[in-house]
Structures are given as structure tokens and as C-alpha cells.
Amino acid sequence: MQKSFFAILSLVIIAGAYGIAFGVPEQVSQFWGASTTETASAPQPARTGRQGQGRATTVVLTPLEARAYTLVLRTVGSAVSLHRTEVTATDAGEVVETALHANQMVEKGDVLLRLDDRTQRLALEIAQANRDQAQATVTRYEGLRSNGSSIVTDVAFADARIALRLAEANVGLAEVALDDRTITAPISGQLGLSDVSVGDRVSSGDAIVTIDDSTSLLATFEVPERSIGLLSEGKRVFVSTPTYAGRIFEGEITAFDSRLDSVTRSATVEAEIDNPDGLLLAGMTFAIRMTEDTDALPVVPATAITWDRTGAGVWIVEEGRVRRVAVTIRYREGDQVWVESDAPLGAQIVAEGASKLREGAQVTDANARRGSDA
């Protein structure tokens, strides 16, 4: 008997709590109203939905505002010097002089290495002597012809002039061959490591040293398909590296691929990074960030979003009652959600307490109540 009493008492308490939170179900209220009509003549307040017209739900309201959302793309890339070259030997020979000091700054035209050039110097002397002889012959023929002598025929004079031109060309070839024995810096920059030393013999095309002009770096990175809209020439990028924690280097996009990689579904992008102090080195790995603000979109607290079979929505308040409006979620950041919706800007939306509402429910603003109590 005692157990039955506690069971009935528990059911009564649960039913009472349900009625306080959600109102009396319509079927019960109708039955209850029909039975009490016979015993009570006082009119009862009408019920609206499941909330009850006479009792308002306390919620927190906030106006619907629109703000731009900042799209942020983070990716990883590596960089090379914007101006760089690998110096190679243009001829074969023995190294007789070097100025290859790693990390040394050189200017364009500075001598880096000399090869044994004795043979080339002798060849140049022979070519110069032949040129001088050809020049003397032409000069003599010109003097005879100017004096009216018929000894020098037109054919002989033409042959002498051709011989002079050939001799001058041979001198030019000999000078080029001699110049090739001296290797100079093709650009200004910083020397890399080199294993070439005096006494070594190099062949044509052998690598001598690298030169990097690191005042500007060219970073290469991949951008996924979903972020292609962020790309444009001249767009700013922000670069960081663990080597200089907390420091941001700026650059701008100079080029990007016209098609996506069929495997990674991304586009290759190149950006020029200013490096006037030479802190960044070619080959470093960088964290790269790009940002862009979208058009203004309605933004709501995450607690304002509710879900049902139709999808996401928010509750807006009109004349003290709520109406659910569907929304499409575009972006999230922290406790803020950017959405697309037909709800008018400035409308009061339920920021807290939305989960316990029903269509047409009467609500009061908790903030307004606090103000009146104060």
C-alpha cells in the first residue's frame, strides 16, 4: 500500500513539473475544461499552442546585426631567392686563382675564379700579329692606289681587305677564349659553399658556386580549390617562420597557376616576400596566411540557432510572440555564427532560451525585466 502511494505521488509531481514548464496538453485541458465548466462559472484564459497565453517565457533578446566575416587561409610553403644563379665553368682547365668565400657578398662582375690562360694569351698574340700584318697590307695597297699606280688590281685589293676582316675576327675569338678563363659573378648577391680550390681541374659545365640575392624571396605554396577566390595578383600575404617567432613578414602574390592539380585539387601560387635585412634564407619553410573580408552577413550567437526537421533556424520576436525563421549557416567563429536569412536586420532574436520555445509562444526579455526590477 505504501509503495502504491509513493508511485502515485511521483506521477503527480512529474505531471505538475511538465505543466509548469510546457503547459497543459490541449487534450487534457479540453477534458479538464469540460469537467470544470459544470462546477465553475468564471471564464478560463484561452490557451495558445503548448505555451499558454497567460504565462510568458523569459528569454534573452538581442538585435539582429550584420557584419563582415574575415576569411583566413593558412598554408605552408617554401622560398627561393628571387634572383639566383648557379655559376658554371665555361671552359675546361686548371684553377689557378679563386675568391670563393662562403656567405661573402659579391657585386656583379667580381672575379670568382681564374683558369690557366697561357695558351689563350699566346693565341691572342698570334691573332693580333696576323691582324697587324693584314692591316699593313691594306694600308700599302691603299697608298699605291691613291698615287695612281696600277700595280694593285681591284681583285688584289679586295682580297687584302677580306684578309684583314678575317684577322680581326680571329682576334675577337682569341679575346673571348681568354675572357672565358676568368669566371666572374653574373649577379650581385651572397656566395654559397663551393668545393673548388686552386689546383683543381674543371670541365666545361661544372658547377662552381651558387649566388643568391636574398633581398627578395619567391615563396611557392598551394591553395586548395575552396579558397581560389582569394587569389589575385598583388594581394598581400603574411609570412612567419619558427626561426623568428612572433615576427611577421609581408609579401604579395605575383603569379598563380591557371589550372588545378588533378590529384591535390589545388593551385600553385608564387608570392614575392620583402627581405631587405637578409634575415630569411632561401629554402626556409614558411607559414603563410591570407585574409579577405566578405560582404556583410547577419551574425547571431551560436545559442540562438535551433534545429528541426527543416534545418537550422532562429526565433524572432514580433509583438511579444516568437516566429521561427530558417537560416543557412555560412561561417562560425567562436560563439558567433554568420548566416543567410530572410529575417530583417534590427529584428529582436532570441539569443538564450531558444530551445524551449514553440511557434507563437509569448516571451519576455530577461534584460528588460532586470531593468524594471532595478
Side-chain angles (χ1 to χ4, degrees):
M1 186 66 181
Q2 186 176 6
K3 292 182 179 180
S4 300
F5 173 76
F6 284 115
I8 294 172
L9 181 61
S10 299
L11 290 175
V12 171
I13 294 174
I14 293 173
Y18 181 89
I20 293 173
F22 303 103
V24 179
E26 185 176 356
Q27 295 85 348
V28 177
S29 65
Q30 290 176 355
F31 175 77
W32 192 359
S35 63
T36 56
T37 302
E38 301 174 358
T39 60
S41 58
Q44 299 295 325
R47 302 284 181 175
T48 302
R50 301 176 61 185
Q51 285 289 351
Q53 181 179 3
R55 184 177 60 257
T57 303
T58 301
V59 296
V60 176
L61 302 181
T62 187
L64 182 61
E65 300 177 345
R67 294 202 304 268
Y69 178 77
T70 302
L71 293 170
V72 180
L73 170 67
R74 291 182 173 86
T75 185
V76 176
S78 59
V80 296
S81 299
L82 183 61
H83 302 290
R84 60 195 184 280
T85 187
E86 184 178 54
V87 181
T88 59
T90 56
D91 204 351
E94 181 183 348
V95 178
V96 296
E97 180 184 341
T98 65
L100 305 175
H101 305 292
N103 300 315
Q104 178 180 336
M105 299 299 298
V106 296
E107 297 294 330
K108 181 179 179 180
D110 287 353
V111 175
L112 303 178
L113 181 145
R114 295 185 191 275
L115 300 177
D116 183 10
D117 59 2
R118 290 173 296 176
T119 301
Q120 287 70 26
R121 290 185 180 279
L122 292 174
L124 176 59
E125 290 185 8
I126 294 173
Q128 290 173 338
N130 290 333
R131 180 198 59 191
D132 294 343
Q133 184 178 15
Q135 180 65 60
T137 301
V138 170
T139 302
R140 185 172 68 256
Y141 283 0
E142 288 177 345
L144 292 174
R145 289 170 64 86
S146 64
N147 293 330
S149 174
S150 58
I151 297 176
V152 181
T153 64
D154 293 339
V155 174
F157 185 65
D159 289 343
R161 291 177 63 86
I162 292 175
L164 176 60
R165 290 175 58 190
L166 290 173
E168 289 175 341
N170 287 331
V171 171
L173 290 174
E175 290 174 343
V176 170
L178 181 59
D179 290 341
D180 286 344
R181 310 302 285 181
T182 301
I183 298 175
T184 59
I187 63 171
S188 299
Q190 189 175 21
L191 294 179
L193 288 172
S194 175
D195 57 0
V196 177
S197 57
V198 175
D200 291 343
R201 185 169 185 83
V202 297
S203 301
S204 178
D206 284 354
I208 303 299
V209 70
T210 59
I211 302 177
D212 289 283
D213 180 3
S214 297
T215 54
S216 293
L217 297 181
L218 186 66
T220 303
F221 54 94
E222 302 292 324
V223 171
E225 182 177 0
R226 66 178 183 275
S227 301
I228 294 300
L230 294 176
L231 300 181
S232 63
E233 290 190 15
K235 185 175 183 61
R236 304 297 294 176
V237 298
F238 304 93
V239 177
S240 60
T241 174
T243 307
Y244 303 103
R247 182 163 183 175
I248 302 298
F249 300 87
E250 293 190 10
E252 62 180 31
I253 293 177
T254 55
F256 52 89
D257 206 344
S258 60
R259 63 179 64 183
L260 298 179
D261 185 276
S262 59
V263 177
T264 63
R265 308 305 304 169
S266 60
T268 302
V269 183
E270 293 181 346
E272 183 176 339
I273 303 171
D274 295 330
N275 186 34
D277 298 330
L279 298 178
L280 304 177
L281 300 181
M284 276 185 169
T285 299
F286 300 104
I288 299 172
R289 177 170 58 90
M290 290 189 297
T291 61
E292 182 172 334
D293 291 335
T294 66
D295 295 332
L297 291 171
V299 58
V300 300
T303 52
I305 303 292
T306 60
W307 296 85
D308 62 12
R309 289 177 298 178
T310 63
V314 296
W315 294 98
I316 66 173
V317 180
E318 297 174 341
E319 298 181 355
R321 297 188 178 277
V322 294
R323 177 171 65 88
R324 193 172 188 275
V325 179
V327 298
T328 301
I329 296 176
R330 292 291 305 275
Y331 310 106
R332 288 180 180 269
E333 183 177 334
D335 60 352
Q336 298 293 305
V337 181
W338 281 256
V339 299
E340 290 181 351
S341 174
D342 294 332
L345 294 179
Q348 294 292 319
I349 65 170
V350 179
E352 296 181 20
S355 60
K356 58 186 179 182
L357 297 178
R358 299 293 184 270
E359 190 73 28
Q362 185 176 355
V363 297
T364 59
D365 188 3
N367 294 326
R369 176 174 293 184
R370 294 192 192 100
S372 61
D373 293 342

